[in-house]
Amino acid sequence: MGDTIRHIALSHVVLPLATAISDAKVFTGRQKPMTEVHFLFAEITTAEGHRGVGFSYAKRAGGPAQFAHAAQVAEGLLGEDPSDIGRLNTQLLWAGASVGRSGVAVQALAAFDVALWDLKAKRAGLALSKLIGPHRDAVSTYNTSGGFLNTPLPQVLENATASVEAGIGGIKIKVGHPDRTVDLQRLTAMREHLGDTFPLMVDANQQWDRATAIRMCRIFEEFNLVWIEEPLDAYDHEGHADLARAIHTPIATGEMLASVAEHVSLIDHRSCDYLQPDAPRVGGITQFLKVATLAEQAGLALAPHFAMEIHCHLAAAYPGVAWVEHFDWLDPLFNERMAIADGRMVVSDRPGLGVTLSDQMRAWTIATASFGEPA
């Protein structure tokens, strides 16, 4: 009999943001400014004392739902072989089949799946990327957190300077303001600030209709952008495909999709040049790897969304062009930091994900649940 899962601990954590942030969804009146991020952490311990940590997250809404769903299905993992990750992922999906295989239902399961992969890599004495099979030991990285629409332009430029000096290899700023002159002013200033060739991306956060998107994307052609992100509604795969054919600048999208099946539709429509899957949103690493295989077959570049502590490993294992998004928001949750050098994020050589949970993470925990026998 091999090692088995003995104990599972769940934590619902609320991380406060130092400053409320707003992207185009706020300026168009569809959302309120974001003041906090909710996290679901799963800590899985085996009978032999091995331990894995995983997490999922929710912005603005959904955190309590993720925690509640995870607490309902967690007990089914007790006594199982932690190495059987694919089987356990399917088992968890069936445990909550009545609420579907997308959205909150799979995002809650992502915390378990990530924890099982972290555990498996630790048992092997390998970094997660090494367990999967890396193609690089560092991944091109760009910063997003310094370029939100609510941030005054002088501060956005200062943030960009700080990021470049810290070794970041690309800068992304938010666009999609109802007044298009605001977008042009900020983008023009940023391009002049960074120079003609420094990697620069923009993100409209789904706030343009098709007519506006084609108009703005054609105007943006002159700025030599790496990509234009989410110019249309995330589920308008046909519209994204038409747009991608009509302009020279690459299109990036996919972060809002919450299942492998939704990514299949996106890829089949040839809706983007850069695919942006999010492991916690699609159900964990097991599901992310399925998406990555499809992306590779379609010849797409990969730029996973958020959660750099997970995605740095996954982007390193992608054969094609890959970027990883740098957000320092999650730093207080962990004792370790992601290293940046020469425009790239260095893949940790510590076993598993290479992170341990901080005392601050414990202090921000608002609910816990425990299953099985603690070690």
Side-chain angles (χ1 to χ4, degrees):
M1 182 69 177
D3 200 7
T4 58
I5 297 173
R6 177 178 178 176
H7 183 256
I8 302 167
L10 300 178
S11 301
H12 180 188
V13 177
V14 180
L15 182 154
L17 298 179
T19 303
I21 63 98
S22 299
D23 56 25
K25 298 187 295 293
V26 175
F27 282 83
T28 57
R30 288 174 169 168
Q31 288 184 345
K32 295 180 180 180
M34 184 161 56
T35 59
E36 60 191 21
V37 182
H38 288 242
F39 289 86
L40 168 65
F41 281 90
E43 299 169 75
I44 298 177
T45 306
T46 73
E48 295 179 1
H50 301 287
R51 182 168 170 266
V53 175
F55 66 90
S56 188
Y57 71 93
K59 296 178 180 178
R60 293 185 174 86
Q66 287 186 12
F67 179 79
H69 186 77
Q72 280 196 296
V73 301
E75 199 166 15
L77 293 177
L78 295 175
E80 295 285 0
D81 185 334
S83 293
D84 297 346
I85 302 176
R87 179 178 63 82
L88 295 179
N89 189 280
T90 300
Q91 178 176 309
L92 289 169
L93 282 170
W94 278 107
S98 65
V99 290
R101 298 182 184 180
S102 181
V104 169
V106 299
Q107 290 161 12
L109 306 185
F112 298 120
D113 188 80
V114 173
L116 290 170
W117 278 98
D118 180 52
L119 173 60
K120 189 169 188 174
K122 286 176 178 174
R123 290 178 69 186
L126 297 171
L128 176 62
S129 64
K130 290 289 187 182
L131 181 71
I132 298 170
H135 289 263
R136 55 189 68 87
D137 58 11
V139 186
S140 297
T141 187
Y142 68 97
N143 178 265
T144 293
S145 54
F148 279 87
L149 275 175
N150 63 293
T151 308
L153 179 55
Q155 185 62 56
V156 172
L157 300 179
E158 288 183 24
N159 292 344
T161 297
S163 291
V164 173
E165 290 176 350
I168 294 290
I171 299 294
K172 187 173 79 178
I173 64 170
K174 300 291 186 173
V175 294
H177 195 285
D179 181 354
R180 72 175 188 176
T181 62
V182 173
D183 285 345
L184 291 173
Q185 178 191 18
R186 292 165 74 90
L187 183 53
T188 299
M190 181 59 78
R191 178 44 85 200
E192 292 175 353
H193 183 69
L194 295 174
D196 292 337
T197 60
F198 189 87
L200 176 62
M201 305 83 160
V202 298
D203 182 359
N205 287 110
Q206 310 177 75
Q207 295 310 293
W208 291 329
D209 57 29
R210 291 186 180 187
T212 302
I214 189 65
R215 184 181 306 115
M216 295 302 292
C217 287
R218 283 176 173 162
I219 292 172
F220 285 179
E221 294 272 44
E222 68 178 274
F223 291 98
N224 188 30
L225 301 174
V226 178
W227 69 64
I228 298 171
E229 185 171 332
E230 288 194 324
L232 298 168
D233 184 276
Y235 291 91
D236 185 3
H237 300 166
E238 188 174 286
H240 273 105
D242 290 343
L243 188 61
R245 287 189 292 267
I247 66 171
H248 297 294
T249 305
I251 296 296
T253 191
E255 70 178 61
M256 296 303 298
L257 305 186
S259 70
V260 174
E262 292 167 8
H263 281 85
V264 169
S265 175
L266 184 73
I267 294 169
D268 284 350
H269 278 84
R270 306 297 299 178
S271 300
C272 64
D273 306 282
Y274 283 84
L275 192 66
Q276 299 182 298
D278 183 319
R281 282 184 175 167
V282 299
I285 292 169
T286 299
Q287 304 299 334
F288 182 100
L289 292 176
K290 296 177 184 179
V291 174
T293 297
L294 296 172
E296 179 191 356
Q297 292 174 342
L300 301 179
L302 192 75
H305 169 255
F306 203 57
M308 63 185 182
E309 294 78 8
I310 299 171
H311 290 136
C312 186
H313 291 275
L314 302 182
Y318 188 67
V321 174
W323 284 82
V324 65
E325 187 171 28
H326 181 274
F327 265 95
D328 58 8
W329 294 357
L330 278 63
D331 282 356
L333 300 173
F334 307 108
N335 294 313
E336 299 77 15
R337 297 291 177 267
M338 306 299 292
I340 306 293
D342 301 322
R344 302 193 298 168
M345 186 177 295
V346 180
V347 184
S348 167
D349 60 3
R350 297 182 294 270
L353 291 175
V355 296
T356 55
L357 302 180
S358 68
D359 291 341
Q360 183 62 75
M361 171 268 177
R362 305 293 180 190
W364 284 336
T365 299
I366 64 170
T368 60
S370 180
F371 307 88
E373 301 176 13

